[in-house]
Amino acid sequence: MEYNNEINRYKWWKTAVIYQIYPRSFADSNGDGIGDLQGIISRLDYLENLGIDAIWLSPVCRSPQDDNGYDISDYQDIDPMFGTLEDMEELISEAGKRRIRIIMDLVLNHSSDEHFWFREARKSRENPYHDYYVWRDGAEGELPNDMRAVFGGPAWEWVPEVGQYYFHQFSVKQPDLNWENPRLRREIYDMINWWIEKGVGGFRLDVIDQIAKDPDRKITNNGPRLHEFLRELSRETFQKADLVTVGEAWGATTELAKLYSNPDNSELSMVFQFEHICLDQIPGKEKWDLAPLPFLKLKEVFGRWQKELYGKGWNSLFWNNHDLPRIVSRWGNDGEYRVESAKMLAILLHGMQGTPYIYQGEELGMTNVRYALEEYRDIETLNLYKERLEKGYSQEEIMESLYAKSRDNARTPMQWNDGENAGFTEGSPWIRVNPNYREINAASQMTDGESVFGCYQRLIRLRKEYSVFADGEFKMLLEDDEDIFAYTRTEAFSRLLVVCNFHDREVKVSLKELDDPGKLLIANYQEAEQPTVLRAYEARMYWKER
Ligand code: GLC
Ligand code: CA
């Protein structure tokens, strides 16, 4: 189907900004130290004030919480830790009153080993649910092959009752679902349609590029039947409603992204890919093996995605999520220039084409944390620590990796105010609050137009006011400049110009676009006396009619 600009312009999610909530760490309503649905409901006014259009809710379904809810044991019920189904219905309706849609996190690559399907599946090979999972013959101690799980250890687990191994790409408590089985697929579609009936606004699809696995050929990502499965899934569910769907795809290239997010709506609305995120790891190694941040590469990656998907697909724009370290501690400066650099990164990202995602606390410029080892909670972090210690890494080396990359950097409680536990809970929090909450918190920023919060609030408004944000064509400027990230977005009647300094020192910029830049929409410093000098982490966004 030809790309049809008219149809696409009216997709609500093209001018939307999505806010991600990690429910455990957002707001606790009952003092048990764990965030919950009533906590979220009590903070909807805050989100309305920020101006977001939708909430991506990390999983709240029933789960033994081996991987904080990414191990679901009942897809049609809420975990008691977070509340009840009625609370969820209340959240959908209360959010709806504020024109905020709720996007559920669908974990379809695997279930919990405590899901009814798996409890049945492991009973016998003849059990009708056995084939819902991925099994291979073998003998105890003789693994089908040497594949490893993402969270450490082998990807195979022995079940004596059936004399077989099951396959798990993540923890042993997250057995992989067998998408080859049409009955399983049907059950999944029915479940999704049930949630659509409840009024959810869309779905985020967890590790969706891993569902079509073929372990015999050691294929996990981008299996041969992946896009066939996605088209069937979309046809049977999403296409029936005006939903947003976003697929987490670590292995996506721009070519694959055009399939996922084809404007003909045959698969998903957009892709959530990580090429710009994985740049600070040594190529071919693990995320823990840190490499210096390659600025020119960052520009090249963003530029390529902007160009390749223009008119042919749709991307997510993000710096953070619940698996990633805080961006201000990564590409920014979480010391002296925390506020300036947090705003710069926001302005840079929100000027591009795609749908922006804000991860809770990002709008405050929240930073990474340095916990003592026993304060970490994440299964990946704890497994990594053990594994690397056994391999002979020093404790210091491992801790450096954790400070930089542990997923718990993103999972520290939301910093609401400077009161005890940052106003997150009246009990004792499941994970320690970042001690900088006295300085960095929502209460102190909400009424201050110059705060990081104020900057995000303004960026969200701009996106709704000016059509160039959704439609403008991207052009990178100063491609080889080692200090400056600059680009334009151009549509029929207007042009956006974004100029950012990525360093903690002044740089001179020579750009003919600055001769007549137009009106300053947003910046992170007072108006410059010398428009051709950018101060530390300075960012400016201009707009003009053509
Ligand atoms: C995704 C989630 C992550 C989870 C994993 C397994 O990458 O974002 O948090 O651990 O999938 O479900
Ligand atoms: Ca609670």
Side-chain angles (χ1 to χ4, degrees), residues 62-123:
R62 201 175 267 275
S63 158
Q65 304 288 327
D66 185 51
D67 182 20
N68 291 357
Y70 284 91
D71 48 320
I72 293 176
S73 57
D74 187 343
Y75 290 90
Q76 286 170 265
D77 200 3
I78 299 298
D79 197 277
M81 170 193 291
F82 297 124
T84 62
L85 209 48
E86 288 70 50
D87 292 326
M88 186 66 192
E89 285 162 356
E90 189 183 332
L91 173 62
I92 294 169
S93 102
E94 284 300 316
K97 288 181 195 160
R98 295 163 178 85
R99 295 192 195 168
I100 295 175
R101 305 181 206 225
I102 300 293
I103 299 171
M104 299 265 304
D105 209 321
L106 275 178
V107 188
L108 304 178
N109 176 67
H110 44 268
S111 74
S112 163
D113 65 338
E114 296 179 35
H115 193 288
F116 168 75
W117 297 337
F118 192 74
R119 287 191 279 121
E120 286 296 308
R122 62 181 305 151
K123 284 182 182 161

Coordinates of all heavy atoms in Angstrom, one line a residue, residues 62-123:
R62 N -1.3 -10.5 37.5 CA -0.9 -11.4 38.6 C 0.5 -12.1 38.3 O 0.7 -12.6 37.1 CB -1.9 -12.5 38.8 CG -1.9 -13.2 40.1 CD -3.1 -14.1 40.3 NE -4.3 -13.5 40.9 CZ -4.4 -13.4 42.2 NH1 -3.5 -13.9 43.1 NH2 -5.5 -12.9 42.7
S63 N 1.4 -12.1 39.2 CA 2.7 -12.6 38.9 C 3.5 -12.9 40.2 O 3.3 -12.2 41.2 CB 3.5 -11.5 38.2 OG 4.9 -11.6 38.4
P64 N 4.3 -14.0 40.2 CA 5.2 -14.2 41.4 C 6.3 -13.2 41.5 O 7.1 -13.3 42.5 CB 5.7 -15.6 41.1 CG 5.2 -16.1 39.8 CD 4.4 -15.0 39.2
Q65 N 6.4 -12.3 40.6 CA 7.4 -11.2 40.7 C 8.8 -11.6 40.7 O 9.7 -11.0 41.3 CB 7.1 -10.3 41.9 CG 5.7 -9.8 42.0 CD 5.4 -8.7 41.1 OE1 6.2 -7.9 40.7 NE2 4.1 -8.6 40.6
D66 N 9.1 -12.7 39.9 CA 10.5 -13.1 39.8 C 11.3 -12.0 39.0 O 12.4 -11.7 39.3 CB 10.6 -14.4 39.1 CG 12.0 -15.0 39.0 OD1 12.6 -15.0 40.1 OD2 12.5 -15.3 37.9
D67 N 10.6 -11.5 38.0 CA 11.2 -10.4 37.2 C 10.3 -9.2 37.3 O 9.9 -8.6 36.3 CB 11.4 -10.9 35.8 CG 12.1 -9.8 34.9 OD1 12.7 -8.9 35.4 OD2 11.9 -10.0 33.6
N68 N 9.9 -8.8 38.5 CA 9.0 -7.7 38.7 C 7.8 -7.6 37.8 O 7.5 -6.5 37.2 CB 9.8 -6.4 38.7 CG 10.8 -6.2 39.8 OD1 10.8 -7.1 40.7 ND2 11.5 -5.2 39.8
G69 N 7.1 -8.7 37.6 CA 5.8 -8.6 36.9 C 6.0 -9.0 35.4 O 5.0 -9.2 34.7
Y70 N 7.2 -9.1 34.9 CA 7.4 -9.6 33.5 C 7.4 -11.1 33.5 O 7.9 -11.7 32.6 CB 8.7 -9.0 32.9 CG 8.5 -7.6 32.6 CD1 8.8 -6.5 33.4 CD2 8.0 -7.2 31.3 CE1 8.6 -5.2 33.1 CE2 7.8 -5.9 31.0 CZ 8.1 -4.9 31.9 OH 7.8 -3.6 31.5
D71 N 6.8 -11.7 34.5 CA 6.6 -13.1 34.6 C 5.1 -13.3 35.0 O 4.8 -13.3 36.2 CB 7.6 -13.8 35.6 CG 7.7 -13.1 36.9 OD1 7.7 -11.8 37.0 OD2 7.7 -13.8 38.0
I72 N 4.2 -13.4 34.1 CA 2.8 -13.3 34.4 C 2.2 -14.7 34.6 O 2.3 -15.6 33.8 CB 2.1 -12.5 33.2 CG1 2.6 -11.1 33.2 CG2 0.6 -12.6 33.4 CD1 2.0 -10.2 32.1
S73 N 1.4 -14.8 35.7 CA 0.8 -16.1 36.0 C -0.7 -16.0 35.7 O -1.4 -17.1 35.7 CB 1.1 -16.5 37.4 OG 0.6 -15.5 38.3
D74 N -1.3 -14.8 35.5 CA -2.7 -14.7 35.1 C -2.8 -13.4 34.3 O -2.7 -12.3 35.0 CB -3.6 -14.8 36.3 CG -5.1 -14.8 35.8 OD1 -5.4 -14.5 34.6 OD2 -6.0 -15.2 36.6
Y75 N -3.0 -13.5 33.0 CA -3.1 -12.3 32.2 C -4.4 -11.5 32.4 O -4.5 -10.4 31.9 CB -3.0 -12.7 30.7 CG -1.6 -13.2 30.3 CD1 -1.2 -14.5 30.4 CD2 -0.6 -12.3 29.9 CE1 0.0 -15.0 30.0 CE2 0.7 -12.7 29.5 CZ 1.0 -14.1 29.5 OH 2.2 -14.5 29.1
Q76 N -5.4 -12.1 33.0 CA -6.7 -11.5 33.2 C -7.0 -11.2 34.6 O -8.2 -11.1 35.0 CB -7.7 -12.3 32.5 CG -7.6 -12.2 31.0 CD -8.5 -13.2 30.2 OE1 -8.0 -14.3 29.9 NE2 -9.7 -12.9 30.0
D77 N -6.0 -11.0 35.4 CA -6.2 -10.5 36.8 C -5.1 -9.6 37.2 O -4.0 -9.6 36.6 CB -6.3 -11.7 37.7 CG -7.0 -11.4 39.0 OD1 -7.5 -10.2 39.1 OD2 -7.1 -12.3 39.9
I78 N -5.3 -8.8 38.2 CA -4.3 -7.9 38.7 C -3.6 -8.5 39.9 O -4.2 -9.2 40.7 CB -5.0 -6.5 39.1 CG1 -5.7 -5.9 37.9 CG2 -4.0 -5.6 39.8 CD1 -4.8 -5.5 36.8
D79 N -2.3 -8.3 40.0 CA -1.6 -8.8 41.2 C -2.1 -8.1 42.4 O -2.2 -6.8 42.5 CB -0.1 -8.6 41.0 CG 0.6 -9.5 42.0 OD1 0.8 -9.1 43.2 OD2 1.0 -10.6 41.6
P80 N -2.4 -8.8 43.5 CA -2.9 -8.2 44.7 C -2.0 -7.1 45.3 O -2.4 -6.2 45.9 CB -3.0 -9.4 45.7 CG -2.9 -10.6 44.9 CD -2.3 -10.3 43.6
M81 N -0.7 -7.3 45.0 CA 0.3 -6.2 45.4 C -0.1 -4.9 44.8 O 0.2 -3.8 45.4 CB 1.6 -6.7 44.9 CG 2.7 -5.7 45.0 SD 4.2 -6.3 44.1 CE 4.6 -7.7 45.0
F82 N -0.6 -4.9 43.6 CA -1.0 -3.6 43.0 C -2.4 -3.2 43.1 O -2.8 -2.1 42.9 CB -0.7 -3.7 41.5 CG 0.8 -3.9 41.1 CD1 1.2 -5.0 40.4 CD2 1.7 -3.0 41.6 CE1 2.5 -5.2 40.1 CE2 3.1 -3.2 41.3 CZ 3.5 -4.3 40.6
G83 N -3.3 -4.1 43.5 CA -4.7 -3.8 43.7 C -5.6 -4.9 43.1 O -5.2 -6.1 43.1
T84 N -6.7 -4.5 42.6 CA -7.7 -5.4 42.1 C -8.1 -5.0 40.7 O -7.7 -3.9 40.2 CB -9.0 -5.3 42.9 OG1 -9.5 -4.0 42.8 CG2 -8.7 -5.6 44.4
L85 N -8.9 -5.9 40.0 CA -9.4 -5.6 38.7 C -10.3 -4.3 38.8 O -10.2 -3.5 37.8 CB -10.2 -6.8 38.2 CG -10.3 -7.0 36.7 CD1 -8.9 -6.9 36.0 CD2 -10.9 -8.4 36.5
E86 N -11.0 -4.1 39.9 CA -11.8 -2.9 40.0 C -10.9 -1.7 40.0 O -11.2 -0.6 39.5 CB -12.6 -2.9 41.3 CG -13.8 -3.9 41.2 CD -13.4 -5.3 41.3 OE1 -12.5 -5.7 42.2 OE2 -13.8 -6.1 40.4
D87 N -9.8 -1.8 40.7 CA -8.8 -0.6 40.7 C -8.3 -0.3 39.3 O -8.2 0.8 38.9 CB -7.6 -0.9 41.6 CG -7.9 -1.0 43.1 OD1 -8.8 -0.3 43.5 OD2 -7.3 -1.9 43.7
M88 N -8.1 -1.4 38.5 CA -7.6 -1.2 37.2 C -8.7 -0.5 36.3 O -8.4 0.4 35.6 CB -7.3 -2.5 36.6 CG -6.7 -2.5 35.2 SD -5.0 -1.7 35.2 CE -4.8 -1.4 33.5
E89 N -10.0 -0.9 36.5 CA -11.1 -0.3 35.8 C -11.2 1.2 36.2 O -11.5 2.0 35.4 CB -12.4 -1.1 36.0 CG -12.4 -2.4 35.2 CD -13.4 -3.4 35.7 OE1 -14.1 -3.2 36.8 OE2 -13.5 -4.5 35.1
E90 N -11.0 1.4 37.5 CA -11.1 2.8 38.0 C -10.0 3.6 37.4 O -10.2 4.8 37.0 CB -11.0 2.8 39.5 CG -11.2 4.1 40.1 CD -11.0 4.1 41.7 OE1 -11.2 3.0 42.3 OE2 -10.7 5.2 42.2
L91 N -8.8 3.0 37.3 CA -7.6 3.8 36.7 C -8.0 4.1 35.2 O -7.8 5.3 34.8 CB -6.4 2.9 36.8 CG -5.2 3.5 36.0 CD1 -4.7 4.9 36.6 CD2 -4.0 2.6 36.1
I92 N -8.5 3.2 34.5 CA -8.8 3.4 33.1 C -9.8 4.6 33.0 O -9.7 5.5 32.2 CB -9.3 2.1 32.4 CG1 -8.2 1.1 32.3 CG2 -9.9 2.4 31.0 CD1 -8.7 -0.3 31.9
S93 N -10.8 4.5 33.9 CA -11.9 5.5 33.7 C -11.4 6.9 34.3 O -11.7 7.9 33.7 CB -13.2 5.0 34.3 OG -13.4 5.6 35.6
E94 N -10.7 6.9 35.4 CA -10.2 8.2 35.9 C -9.2 8.8 35.0 O -9.2 10.0 34.8 CB -9.5 8.0 37.3 CG -10.5 7.8 38.4 CD -11.5 9.0 38.6 OE1 -11.0 10.1 38.5 OE2 -12.7 8.8 38.7
A95 N -8.3 8.0 34.4 CA -7.4 8.5 33.4 C -8.2 9.1 32.2 O -7.9 10.2 31.7 CB -6.4 7.4 33.0
G96 N -9.2 8.3 31.8 CA -10.0 8.7 30.6 C -10.6 10.1 30.8 O -10.7 10.9 29.9
K97 N -11.0 10.4 32.0 CA -11.6 11.7 32.3 C -10.6 12.8 32.1 O -11.0 14.0 31.8 CB -12.1 11.8 33.8 CG -13.3 11.0 34.1 CD -13.7 11.1 35.6 CE -14.6 10.0 36.0 NZ -14.7 9.8 37.4
R98 N -9.4 12.5 32.2 CA -8.3 13.5 32.0 C -7.7 13.3 30.6 O -6.6 13.8 30.3 CB -7.2 13.3 33.0 CG -7.7 13.7 34.4 CD -6.8 13.1 35.5 NE -7.2 13.4 36.9 CZ -8.1 12.7 37.6 NH1 -8.7 11.6 37.1 NH2 -8.4 13.1 38.8
R99 N -8.4 12.6 29.7 CA -7.9 12.3 28.3 C -6.6 11.6 28.3 O -5.7 11.9 27.4 CB -7.9 13.6 27.5 CG -9.2 14.2 27.4 CD -9.3 15.2 26.4 NE -10.5 15.9 26.6 CZ -10.8 17.0 26.0 NH1 -10.0 17.6 25.2 NH2 -12.0 17.6 26.3
I100 N -6.4 10.8 29.3 CA -5.1 10.0 29.3 C -5.5 8.5 29.0 O -6.4 8.0 29.7 CB -4.4 10.1 30.6 CG1 -4.0 11.6 30.8 CG2 -3.2 9.2 30.7 CD1 -3.4 11.9 32.2
R101 N -4.9 7.9 28.1 CA -5.2 6.5 27.8 C -4.2 5.6 28.5 O -3.1 6.0 28.8 CB -5.1 6.2 26.3 CG -6.0 7.2 25.5 CD -5.8 6.9 24.0 NE -6.1 8.1 23.2 CZ -6.9 8.1 22.2 NH1 -7.5 7.0 21.7 NH2 -7.2 9.2 21.5
I102 N -4.6 4.4 28.8 CA -3.8 3.4 29.5 C -3.3 2.4 28.5 O -4.1 1.7 27.8 CB -4.5 2.7 30.6 CG1 -5.0 3.8 31.6 CG2 -3.7 1.7 31.3 CD1 -3.9 4.5 32.4
I103 N -2.0 2.3 28.4 CA -1.3 1.3 27.5 C -0.8 0.1 28.4 O 0.0 0.4 29.3 CB -0.2 1.9 26.8 CG1 -0.7 3.1 25.9 CG2 0.6 0.9 25.9 CD1 0.4 3.9 25.3
M104 N -1.3 -1.1 28.2 CA -0.9 -2.2 29.0 C 0.4 -2.8 28.4 O 0.7 -2.8 27.2 CB -1.9 -3.3 28.9 CG -3.3 -3.0 29.5 SD -3.5 -3.4 31.2 CE -3.2 -5.1 31.3
D105 N 1.2 -3.4 29.3 CA 2.4 -4.1 28.9 C 2.0 -5.6 28.7 O 1.6 -6.3 29.6 CB 3.4 -4.0 30.0 CG 4.9 -4.0 29.5 OD1 5.1 -4.8 28.6 OD2 5.7 -3.3 30.1
L106 N 2.2 -6.0 27.4 CA 1.8 -7.4 27.1 C 3.1 -8.2 27.0 O 4.0 -8.0 26.2 CB 1.2 -7.5 25.7 CG -0.3 -7.2 25.5 CD1 -0.6 -7.3 24.1 CD2 -1.1 -8.3 26.3
V107 N 3.2 -9.2 27.9 CA 4.4 -10.1 27.9 C 4.0 -11.4 27.3 O 3.4 -12.3 27.9 CB 4.9 -10.3 29.4 CG1 6.2 -11.0 29.4 CG2 5.0 -8.9 30.1
L108 N 4.3 -11.5 26.0 CA 3.8 -12.6 25.2 C 4.9 -13.6 24.8 O 4.6 -14.6 24.2 CB 3.1 -12.1 23.9 CG 1.9 -11.1 24.2 CD1 1.4 -10.6 22.8 CD2 0.8 -11.7 25.0
N109 N 6.1 -13.3 25.1 CA 7.2 -14.2 24.7 C 7.2 -15.4 25.7 O 7.6 -16.5 25.3 CB 8.5 -13.5 24.7 CG 9.7 -14.4 24.4 OD1 9.8 -15.0 23.3 ND2 10.5 -14.7 25.4
H110 N 6.9 -15.1 26.9 CA 6.9 -16.1 27.9 C 5.9 -15.9 29.0 O 5.3 -14.8 29.0 CB 8.3 -16.1 28.6 CG 8.8 -14.7 29.0 ND1 9.5 -13.9 28.1 CD2 8.5 -13.9 30.0 CE1 9.7 -12.7 28.6 NE2 9.1 -12.7 29.8
S111 N 5.6 -16.9 29.8 CA 4.7 -16.7 30.9 C 5.5 -17.0 32.2 O 6.7 -17.3 32.1 CB 3.5 -17.6 30.8 OG 3.8 -18.9 31.2
S112 N 4.8 -16.9 33.3 CA 5.5 -17.4 34.5 C 5.4 -18.9 34.5 O 4.5 -19.5 33.9 CB 4.7 -16.8 35.7 OG 5.0 -17.6 36.9
D113 N 6.3 -19.6 35.2 CA 6.2 -21.0 35.4 C 5.0 -21.4 36.3 O 4.6 -22.5 36.4 CB 7.5 -21.6 35.9 CG 7.8 -21.2 37.3 OD1 7.3 -20.1 37.7 OD2 8.6 -21.9 38.0
E114 N 4.4 -20.3 37.0 CA 3.3 -20.6 37.8 C 2.0 -20.3 37.1 O 0.9 -20.4 37.7 CB 3.4 -19.7 39.1 CG 4.6 -20.1 39.9 CD 4.8 -19.3 41.2 OE1 3.8 -18.9 41.8 OE2 6.0 -19.1 41.6
H115 N 2.0 -20.0 35.8 CA 0.8 -19.9 35.0 C 0.1 -21.3 34.9 O 0.8 -22.3 34.8 CB 1.1 -19.3 33.7 CG -0.1 -18.9 32.9 ND1 -1.0 -19.8 32.4 CD2 -0.6 -17.6 32.6 CE1 -2.0 -19.1 31.8 NE2 -1.7 -17.8 31.9
F116 N -1.2 -21.3 34.9 CA -2.0 -22.5 34.8 C -1.5 -23.4 33.6 O -1.3 -24.6 33.7 CB -3.4 -22.2 34.7 CG -4.3 -23.4 34.2 CD1 -4.6 -24.4 35.1 CD2 -4.8 -23.4 32.9 CE1 -5.4 -25.5 34.7 CE2 -5.5 -24.5 32.5 CZ -5.8 -25.5 33.4
W117 N -1.2 -22.7 32.5 CA -0.8 -23.4 31.3 C 0.5 -24.2 31.6 O 0.7 -25.3 31.2 CB -0.4 -22.4 30.1 CG -1.6 -21.6 29.6 CD1 -2.9 -21.9 29.7 CD2 -1.5 -20.4 28.9 NE1 -3.7 -20.9 29.1 CE2 -2.8 -20.0 28.6 CE3 -0.4 -19.6 28.5 CZ2 -3.1 -18.8 27.9 CZ3 -0.7 -18.4 27.8 CH2 -2.0 -18.0 27.5
F118 N 1.4 -23.5 32.3 CA 2.7 -24.2 32.5 C 2.6 -25.3 33.5 O 3.2 -26.4 33.4 CB 3.8 -23.3 32.8 CG 5.2 -23.9 32.8 CD1 5.8 -24.2 31.5 CD2 5.9 -24.3 33.9 CE1 7.0 -24.8 31.5 CE2 7.1 -24.9 33.9 CZ 7.7 -25.2 32.6
R119 N 1.8 -25.1 34.5 CA 1.6 -26.1 35.6 C 1.0 -27.4 35.0 O 1.4 -28.5 35.3 CB 0.7 -25.5 36.7 CG 1.5 -24.5 37.6 CD 0.8 -24.2 38.9 NE -0.2 -23.2 38.6 CZ -1.5 -23.3 38.9 NH1 -2.0 -24.5 39.4 NH2 -2.4 -22.4 38.6
E120 N 0.1 -27.2 34.0 CA -0.4 -28.3 33.2 C 0.7 -28.9 32.3 O 0.9 -30.1 32.3 CB -1.6 -27.9 32.4 CG -2.9 -27.6 33.2 CD -3.4 -28.9 33.9 OE1 -3.6 -29.9 33.2 OE2 -3.6 -28.9 35.1
A121 N 1.3 -28.0 31.6 CA 2.3 -28.5 30.6 C 3.4 -29.4 31.1 O 3.9 -30.3 30.4 CB 2.9 -27.2 29.9
R122 N 3.8 -29.2 32.3 CA 4.9 -29.9 32.9 C 4.4 -31.3 33.5 O 5.3 -32.1 33.9 CB 5.6 -29.1 33.9 CG 4.8 -28.7 35.1 CD 5.7 -27.9 36.1 NE 6.9 -28.6 36.5 CZ 8.0 -28.0 36.8 NH1 8.1 -26.7 36.8 NH2 9.0 -28.8 37.1
K123 N 3.1 -31.5 33.4 CA 2.6 -32.8 34.0 C 2.9 -34.0 33.1 O 3.4 -35.0 33.6 CB 1.1 -32.7 34.2 CG 0.7 -31.9 35.4 CD -0.8 -31.9 35.7 CE -1.1 -31.0 36.8 NZ -2.6 -30.6 36.8

